[in-house]
């Protein structure tokens, strides 16, 4: 946050080292950061505009100027001011190196969680799900669609799992596919054996429990234990299936006949739930992924998933300032893009409610209560985007969506599960905004309606 002879505020570390080595930077020249264009970003301002003088130092001045100029040129394509110039799509760095993975595996006994999924640039790089099999109505299907055979291990806190649970409710599959709900706070799954912390099953009547470091008292209300395998942790389910990937995530779609995992990839589970169980569904005519909109939904998903759904995690789990800022500006650019679309039509695909609307909702409903603070997504809240906010209210007021939206589980999970981000498990005392007030989406044609 210092001013160097180059005349720019927030001189990068490399430039500051040159200045110190040349004895040009002095404590009297430390200035407060002002003129921020966005939260956390200061505007570079020439020295002449600030009324300050600076010792002249020929070679040192040149070194400082060259250093800053090269850094600014290198970073220019990664920096944008929302509403003034576009932020070009970036090619992300390659996934985690073998060396990184080996080091993490050795430290944790081979197990891992999403906090470990960063590359050499400090970017969060979500690793693909390891179980990708398919339930089908085909006569020779390995996993045929049957009532009572499959069980979904889910959680109210996880946006990916929550979406799968919501489609069970919307399609009317409650009597066809069972659902278990994990406790929102990660716990050490093999205390004394390794360092893995993950999802645990609890009875809703159990006493509140602390987080893995002994802080807090988090309620068990809303939990649904595992009636199939009587598991204590989600990790137990994976180990029953002889999993070798060792990332014990939710959702998990379980086959109780073959006693194995069918899939833990949410984007594929939702497709199975939407189509393959129609002969058992109470609402078989509801199609959240219509063939006629496949290409449009793919295009929407290309930026909604990368920049918004996963973008908040790329902000929150970034390990470098550069990685964080890239994710941050892309996130808010894409939120403005969604806001613009919804200013012209009722849903993302026009008049038709689709699975993409549900996918966007899962991030938006968590944004103000959690991501703004916890994942450092400081900027415009969703409540400050009139179309996004009314969109959230419309979806929340759908009975099936409201049933699976549990703000307490959401806040309890994020603020108590990652000691490296919030060691004392302090949950902000924020009064949640009422999502039951009237929305204005009726001004556009279209509605979420199906024959029950």
């Amino acid at each position: 946050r210092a001013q160097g002879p180059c005349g720019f505020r927030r001189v990068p570390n490399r430039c500051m080292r040159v200045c110190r080595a040349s004895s040009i930077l002095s404590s009297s020249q430390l200035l407060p950061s002002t003129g921020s264009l966005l939260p956390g970003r200061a505007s570079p301002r020439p020295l002449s505009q600030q009324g300050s003088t600076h010792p002249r130092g020929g070679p040192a001045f040149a070194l400082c100027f060259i250093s800053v100029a090269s850094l600014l040129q290198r970073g220019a394509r990664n920096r944008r001011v929302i509403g003034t110039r576009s932020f070009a799509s970036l090619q992300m760095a390659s996934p985690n190196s073998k060396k990184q993975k080996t080091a993490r595996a050795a430290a944790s006994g081979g197990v891992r969680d999403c906090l470990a999924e960063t590359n050499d640039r400090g970017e969060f790089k979500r690793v693909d799900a390891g179980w990708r099999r398919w339930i089908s109505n085909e006569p020779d299907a390995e996993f045929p669609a049957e009532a009572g055979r499959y069980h979904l291990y889910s959680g109210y806190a996880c946006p990916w799992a929550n979406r799968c649970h919501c489609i069970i409710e919307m399609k009317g599959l409650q009597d066809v596919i069972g659902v278990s709900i994990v406790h929102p706070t990660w716990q050490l799954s093999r205390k004394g054996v390794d360092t893995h912390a993950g999802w645990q099953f609890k009875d809703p009547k159990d006493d509140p429990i602390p987080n893995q470091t002994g802080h807090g008292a988090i309620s068990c209300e809303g939990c649904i234990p595992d009636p199939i395998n009587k598991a204590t942790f989600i990790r137990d389910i994976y180990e029953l299936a002889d999993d070798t990937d060792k990332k014990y995530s939710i959702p998990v779609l379980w086959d109780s006949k073959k006693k194995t995992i069918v899939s833990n990839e949410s984007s594929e589970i939702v497709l199975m739930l939407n189509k393959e169980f129609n002969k058992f569904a109470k609402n078989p005519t509801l199609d959240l992924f219509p063939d006629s909109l496949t290409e449009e939904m793919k295009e929407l998903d290309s930026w909604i998933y990368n920049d918004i759904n996963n973008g908040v995690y790329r902000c929150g789990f970034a390990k470098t300032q550069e990685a964080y800022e890239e994710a941050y500006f892309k996130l808010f650019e894409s939120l403005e893009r969604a806001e613009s679309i919804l200013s012209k039509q009722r849903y993302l695909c026009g008049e038709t409610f689709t699975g993409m609307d549900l996918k966007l909702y899962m991030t938006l409903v968590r944004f103000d209560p959690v991501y703004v603070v916890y994942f450092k997504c400081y900027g415009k809240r969703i409540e400050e985007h009139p179309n996004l906010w009314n969109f959230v209210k419309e979806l929340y007021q759908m009975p099936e969506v409201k049933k699976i939206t549990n703000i307490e589980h959401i806040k309890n999970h994020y603020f108590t599960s990652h000691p490296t981000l919030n060691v004392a498990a302090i949950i902000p005392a924020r009064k949640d905004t009422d999502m039951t007030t009237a929305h204005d989406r009726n001004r556009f044609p279209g509605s979420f309606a199906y024959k029950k």
Side-chain angles (χ1 to χ4, degrees):
R1 300 289 197 277
Q3 170 133 352
C6 54
F8 286 97
R9 189 180 299 278
R10 285 188 70 205
V11 180
N13 290 338
R14 185 181 300 178
C15 180
M16 292 181 73
R17 286 196 293 271
V18 174
C19 291
R20 289 193 183 102
S22 306
S23 302
I24 291 179
L25 187 65
S26 69
S27 59
S28 63
Q29 288 147 352
L30 296 177
L31 301 172
S33 177
T34 58
S36 177
L37 295 172
L38 281 170
R41 177 176 293 275
S43 308
R45 294 200 293 164
L47 182 64
S48 60
Q49 295 181 12
Q50 301 192 16
S52 301
T53 58
H54 217 295
R56 297 187 179 274
F61 181 94
L63 282 171
C64 185
F65 181 83
I66 291 170
S67 178
V68 172
S70 63
L71 285 171
L72 289 175
Q73 183 180 24
R74 184 183 68 184
R77 66 180 179 275
N78 298 341
R79 297 173 182 268
R80 65 176 288 278
V81 179
I82 292 178
T84 60
R85 57 191 175 98
S86 63
F87 183 62
S89 299
L90 298 174
Q91 291 293 329
M92 306 303 289
S94 59
N96 296 350
S97 66
K98 183 176 180 181
K99 181 177 179 182
Q100 283 180 306
K101 291 181 179 178
T102 303
R104 293 190 191 109
S108 61
V111 299
R112 61 190 173 86
D113 60 35
C114 57
L115 273 75
E117 296 175 351
T118 51
N119 64 13
D120 293 328
R121 291 188 62 219
E123 299 168 308
F124 173 67
K125 303 289 285 185
R126 190 179 297 277
V127 176
D128 289 343
W131 294 83
R132 309 286 289 271
R133 299 185 284 188
W134 203 269
I135 296 171
S136 172
N137 279 305
E138 296 299 322
D140 58 346
E142 180 183 6
F143 299 96
E146 297 177 6
R149 175 169 176 167
Y150 301 99
H151 193 81
L152 180 72
Y153 292 105
S154 185
Y156 292 127
C158 172
W160 320 109
N162 209 195
R163 184 167 66 125
C164 297
H165 186 189
C166 191
I167 291 180
I168 287 178
E169 295 292 330
M170 287 183 167
K171 292 287 293 186
L173 294 170
Q174 301 91 330
D175 300 328
V176 179
I177 300 171
V179 177
S180 291
I181 301 294
V182 293
H183 189 277
T185 302
W186 284 357
Q187 300 289 338
L188 294 172
S189 60
R190 298 292 184 269
K191 192 176 295 186
V193 176
D194 56 43
T195 60
H196 175 262
W199 304 105
Q200 181 182 25
F201 296 103
K202 298 295 289 183
D203 190 287
K205 298 178 183 177
D206 289 346
D207 293 333
I209 60 174
N211 75 344
Q212 58 194 273
T213 59
H215 294 89
I218 300 92
S219 172
C220 296
E221 185 178 352
C223 296
I224 302 176
D226 173 19
I228 307 299
N229 297 299
K230 313 296 182 187
T232 303
F233 289 93
I234 279 291
R235 178 175 181 171
D236 302 337
I237 304 300
Y238 280 85
E239 292 181 349
L240 282 172
D242 297 323
D243 173 77
T244 58
D245 196 46
K246 296 189 175 183
K247 180 186 176 182
Y248 310 120
S249 60
I250 55 174
V252 173
L253 188 57
W254 176 264
D255 181 350
S256 60
K257 279 192 177 180
K258 293 193 173 184
K259 299 189 182 303
T260 190
I261 296 170
V262 178
S263 178
N264 65 345
E265 173 50 61
S266 64
S267 66
E268 294 171 0
I269 293 174
V270 295
L271 296 178
M272 290 182 252
L273 296 174
N274 178 66
K275 181 179 179 181
E276 304 299 338
F277 292 89
N278 277 341
K279 61 184 176 182
F280 308 109
K282 296 175 184 176
N283 305 313
T285 60
L286 173 64
D287 187 0
L288 294 168
F289 301 91
D291 292 339
S292 61
L293 295 174
T294 296
E295 292 306 314
E296 187 174 351
M297 293 176 72
K298 282 183 179 178
E299 193 281 326
L300 286 165
D301 193 54
S302 68
W303 55 273
I304 288 176
Y305 169 76
N306 288 320
D307 304 340
I308 299 177
N309 300 137
N310 201 43
V312 292
Y313 288 90
R314 290 172 55 214
C315 290
F317 295 157
K319 298 295 177 63
T320 64
Q321 186 71 27
E322 181 182 15
Y324 163 73
E325 290 189 8
E326 285 181 4
Y328 175 93
F329 286 100
K330 199 66 177 173
L331 166 65
F332 280 95
E333 177 190 35
S334 293
L335 285 174
E336 292 295 335
R337 185 175 178 181
E339 170 74 7
S340 177
I341 291 172
L342 294 173
S343 72
K344 304 178 184 72
Q345 59 197 43
R346 187 153 188 169
Y347 302 116
L348 291 169
C349 291
E351 297 181 17
T352 305
F353 178 88
T354 70
M356 282 309 304
D357 296 297
L358 200 57
K359 192 170 190 175
L360 179 61
Y361 167 85
M362 292 298 167
T363 297
L364 299 185
V365 78
R366 290 162 171 78
F367 199 90
D368 291 0
V370 174
Y371 300 148
V372 167
V373 174
Y374 198 59
F375 282 171
K376 298 176 284 292
C377 298
Y378 303 109
K380 286 175 67 176
R381 295 176 300 148
I382 300 306
E383 291 178 48
E384 297 174 287
H385 294 81
N387 293 290
L388 290 178
W389 178 234
N390 279 280
F391 171 83
V392 169
K393 290 198 291 183
E394 180 185 8
L395 266 65
Y396 178 78
Q397 291 169 27
M398 298 174 183
E400 300 87 353
V401 179
K402 185 176 181 179
K403 182 178 178 180
I404 59 87
T405 303
N406 188 317
I407 299 297
E408 289 306 308
H409 269 236
I410 290 168
K411 292 192 297 186
N412 287 346
H413 165 63
Y414 287 97
F415 288 108
T416 68
S417 292
H418 316 120
T420 55
L421 301 182
N422 187 17
V423 65
I426 302 298
I427 301 170
R430 176 186 185 272
K431 183 178 180 181
D432 297 314
T433 306
D434 186 3
M435 292 185 286
T436 64
T437 57
H439 63 79
D440 66 359
R441 303 305 292 166
N442 293 323
R443 73 184 194 271
F444 298 114
S447 65
F448 176 62
Y450 54 88
K451 184 178 179 180
K452 292 195 176 183

